Amino acid sequence: MRKLLYLLLGALGFAGCSESFSCEYGTPSVDFTVKGKVTDSEGTPIKGIVVSSKSVQSYDDGNGLNAVTDENGEFVTNKVKEFGVGGTLVFTDVDGAENGGDFETYEKELLHSERTQIKEGDGNWYQGEYEVTVDVKLRKK
């Protein structure tokens, strides 16, 4: 009797869908990259700062958000697919005084960062591609 009841309830759930309304199962997702610039408190670009992710997971290549700042202090992370643009970036000075000083590690949440839509979504769960801009000033230790 219980199996018959489960079968009936399952059939009724799917019967609610019609051709004019598509039934979908999933979670909204976006593709995004993060770009920005890292400077010291005086505005001087800092080379060699490792930009990594905390609580952001890549669904494309498993690397998450990772980058290293160039001689202009600029960075661009790899593109990742995420269920929302959240998580935290961690800025770490791994070379000490070699590139202008020994800087404190800094964490920046992505949730309220400036973002630009680059590609439209598909009208379903995929919300499109975004570029998030994060500029950071690091303090010396």
Side-chain angles (χ1 to χ4, degrees):
M1 183 69 161
R2 185 177 292 176
K3 289 182 182 179
L4 182 60
L5 181 61
Y6 289 147
L7 181 63
L8 180 62
L9 288 175
L12 288 175
F14 290 110
C17 297
S18 68
E19 291 179 31
S20 63
F21 175 78
S22 66
C23 289
E24 295 183 19
Y25 178 78
T27 302
S29 66
V30 297
D31 290 327
F32 72 100
T33 58
V34 181
K35 70 175 189 169
K37 186 170 186 173
V38 179
T39 60
D40 64 14
S41 58
E42 296 156 3
T44 305
I46 307 171
K47 176 184 177 184
I49 299 296
V50 173
V51 182
S52 59
S53 60
K54 179 179 178 180
S55 68
V56 173
Q57 180 180 352
S58 168
Y59 294 95
D60 296 329
D61 60 13
N63 291 324
L65 296 171
N66 294 299
V68 178
T69 58
D70 63 14
E71 60 277 349
N72 298 317
E74 297 174 346
F75 68 93
V76 177
T77 66
N78 53 316
K79 181 169 67 170
V80 299
K81 182 175 291 297
E82 178 66 16
F83 300 126
V85 181
T88 303
L89 286 184
V90 180
F91 298 84
T92 308
D93 183 1
V94 294
D95 62 12
E98 186 176 321
N99 285 306
D102 195 10
F103 295 94
E104 294 180 358
T105 297
Y106 180 77
E107 293 187 8
K108 171 79 174 175
E109 287 188 32
L110 291 174
L111 187 60
H112 301 293
S113 300
E114 176 188 333
R115 63 189 75 187
T116 305
Q117 188 167 13
I118 297 171
K119 179 181 170 186
E120 291 290 323
D122 63 7
N124 295 308
W125 290 113
Y126 179 64
Q127 303 297 306
E129 185 174 340
Y130 288 81
E131 187 174 80
V132 180
T133 303
V134 177
D135 292 331
V136 171
K137 290 186 183 251
L138 297 183
R139 291 185 289 174
K140 290 187 179 180
K141 288 184 180 177

